[in-house]
Amino acid sequence: MPAPLGTISAGGGAAAGVAGLLRLRRGHAVASPLPASAGAGARCSAAAAVHDGGQLVWGRQLRPGLLLPAGLIPSRASKRLPLRPPAASAEPAGEAKSPGLLEKYPAITTGFFFFMWYFLNVIFNILNKKIYNYFPYPYFVSVIHLLVGVVYCLISWAVGLPKRAPINSTLLKLLFPVALCHALGHVTSNVSFATVAVSFAHTIKALEPFFNAAATQFVLGQTVPLSLWLSLAPVVLGVSMASLTELSFNWKGFINAMISNISFTYRSIYSKKAMTDMDSTNVYAYISIIALLVCIPPALIIEGPQLMQYGLNDAIAKVGLTKFVSDLFLVGLFYHLYNQLATNTLERVAPLTHAVGNVLKRVFVIGFSIVIFGNTITTQTGIGTCVAIAGVAIYSYIKAKIEEEKRAKSA
């Protein structure tokens, strides 16, 4: 069973918030203190050993005596241990453990992660839309998505896969804005999916890079290269073309998809500020718990009365209680697992590879949704969708190359 994790958006941007934390944590180095008698060169080499070895346990550094070379550890004449003969500790050459198939060919494992990421994402989007066809209550369904994920995380903590990381008020203050934006983006994404065709909702969500660039330039005050701005032109053009002739277009779906883009953009911003040594699995678990608590009140206020009067009864009358409950459970499980696989994949590949994979994932979702639901699209809508996806691909490629160049210069 894969470790619970998640990113964090109904359309696949979810892993973006946790992914931002992962990228920041990769550059975090901690140096170990040296005895005062050690020279400058020894101190530098020891600090490098700490950085390369990553000798951290939940953000706490191991004792310097476990990390320093033997020549730098102060000797104690009164406590000398006898040395073991070399032959006693050395393993016979013939008993060396040979690497397994997955260790020898890591591309197989990476390919499996990509396949499962795409597969779970497509299944989630299709099942999610089928539920909305007979149960059009996106606020309630959004709560179910998060609830199933939270239960999954709690069970995983209970069995120690992974071990639950401790949390305090300081970490809660850092994670709350991330979870709030996650909750808002998740709910508005589902409102859009319930209102318009899945293919059109994902086409609108292709504008998310544009909002990211705008927030980086005008909110964070960081200069966005001209090449990135130019690559966004086909994205805006393609979404505009698709929207003008989309047969399922309505303003409620369009506006909610745009709010989702803005929410996930601010989630990325707050994720960069909420840098923590906690692993991504636990980070996503805590974010899911907070987001669930945020989503429950509006779901009860907006859809609660309708659900109690006729919503639940109508859904059960249409498909039966067993199918209704199983559909809700499975869609929540697929939502959690595909976000988890997205972040696990990011941990295994370079940002450029992940960016290209994310674009291809959107293409798969749009294509399969058109085939499964038989959506009729106009020629202009089809061309606009292709232009928008191509623009996202160009933007992702340029952005990933810029990030790689920055890391190379800082290394």
Side-chain angles (χ1 to χ4, degrees):
M1 178 175 65
L5 167 44
T7 148
I8 260 174
S9 120
V18 178
L21 299 178
L22 288 175
R23 285 192 291 269
L24 285 169
R25 283 170 42 225
R26 287 173 181 168
H28 185 61
V30 180
S32 171
L34 288 173
S37 59
R43 287 193 296 268
C44 292
S45 62
V50 177
H51 174 70
D52 294 337
Q55 308 287 351
L56 296 174
V57 178
W58 295 120
R60 296 189 294 272
Q61 189 175 333
L62 296 177
R63 289 176 296 163
L66 299 177
L67 303 175
L68 298 179
L72 296 178
I73 302 177
S75 61
R76 296 182 181 179
S78 59
K79 295 183 180 180
R80 290 190 177 182
L81 299 176
L83 296 177
R84 292 182 65 186
S89 60
E91 294 184 0
E95 297 182 5
K97 186 178 180 181
S98 59
L101 178 64
L102 297 180
E103 295 176 355
K104 191 174 182 181
Y105 301 100
I108 297 177
T109 306
T110 302
F112 174 76
F113 273 90
F114 269 103
F115 171 78
M116 292 303 298
W117 176 22
Y118 286 14
F119 174 76
L120 292 173
N121 192 275
V122 169
I123 296 299
F124 162 76
N125 279 276
I126 292 174
L127 181 57
N128 204 43
K129 184 62 176 179
K130 285 185 175 181
I131 291 174
Y132 288 137
N133 287 339
Y134 69 83
F135 186 68
Y137 297 93
Y139 287 86
F140 179 79
V141 174
S142 298
V143 169
I144 296 299
H145 290 166
L146 295 170
L147 177 62
V148 173
V150 167
V151 172
Y152 182 97
C153 294
L154 293 177
I155 294 175
S156 300
W157 277 342
V159 298
L161 294 172
K163 182 179 178 182
R164 187 183 71 85
I167 192 169
N168 52 37
S169 59
T170 303
L171 283 175
L172 281 175
K173 290 178 182 178
L174 289 174
L175 293 179
F176 182 79
V178 181
L180 181 62
C181 293
H182 173 46
L184 179 60
H186 180 57
V187 170
T188 50
S189 290
N190 277 284
V191 172
S192 178
F193 290 143
T195 310
V196 299
V198 173
S199 56
F200 181 55
H202 276 279
T203 302
I204 301 173
K205 288 177 69 62
L207 278 174
E208 189 173 331
F210 174 81
F211 289 97
N212 283 332
T216 301
Q217 181 84 48
F218 302 110
V219 177
L220 297 180
Q222 301 174 4
T223 302
V224 175
L226 179 61
S227 57
L228 277 180
W229 283 115
L230 292 177
S231 68
L232 290 171
V235 180
V236 177
L237 176 62
V239 172
S240 300
M241 290 177 60
S243 301
L244 289 175
T245 56
E246 170 60 37
L247 300 178
S248 68
F249 178 87
N250 67 64
W251 283 108
K252 181 179 180 180
F254 180 83
I255 292 174
N256 274 275
M258 297 294 280
I259 295 175
S260 171
N261 286 335
I262 297 173
S263 300
F264 290 136
T265 296
Y266 274 93
R267 184 191 63 193
S268 298
I269 293 175
Y270 285 120
S271 294
K272 293 177 182 179
K273 296 180 179 180
M275 185 179 70
T276 171
D277 285 330
M278 189 185 298
D279 68 287
S280 57
T281 299
N282 279 284
V283 167
Y284 183 64
Y286 284 120
I287 288 176
S288 297
I289 294 173
I290 298 171
L292 174 63
L293 297 177
V294 171
C295 288
I296 289 176
L300 293 176
I301 295 172
I302 297 174
E303 295 178 345
Q306 301 175 35
L307 288 173
M308 297 304 295
Q309 290 178 9
Y310 51 84
L312 294 173
N313 291 331
D314 287 351
I316 295 172
K318 290 177 181 178
V319 299
L321 178 61
T322 301
K323 178 173 175 53
F324 179 53
V325 174
S326 62
D327 281 353
L328 291 177
F329 170 76
L330 289 175
V331 77
L333 183 63
F334 287 139
Y335 167 76
H336 182 83
L337 291 179
Y338 98 74
N339 277 293
Q340 169 183 313
L341 264 296
T343 307
N344 289 346
T345 305
L346 175 62
E347 292 178 319
R348 299 187 62 86
V349 300
L352 176 57
T353 305
H354 192 270
V356 174
N358 197 39
V359 173
L360 293 177
K361 180 263 304 181
R362 197 177 295 279
V363 173
F364 269 83
V365 171
I366 292 175
F368 274 99
S369 66
I370 292 175
V371 173
I372 296 297
F373 295 107
N375 297 335
T376 302
I377 61 172
T378 64
T379 303
Q380 181 173 324
T381 298
I383 294 174
T385 300
C386 293
V387 171
I389 296 300
V392 173
I394 296 172
Y395 170 85
S396 301
Y397 177 82
I398 295 175
K399 184 178 180 182
K401 292 292 290 183
I402 292 174
E403 291 179 354
E404 287 181 355
E405 291 175 359
K406 287 182 179 178
R407 282 194 298 273
K409 291 179 180 179
S410 60

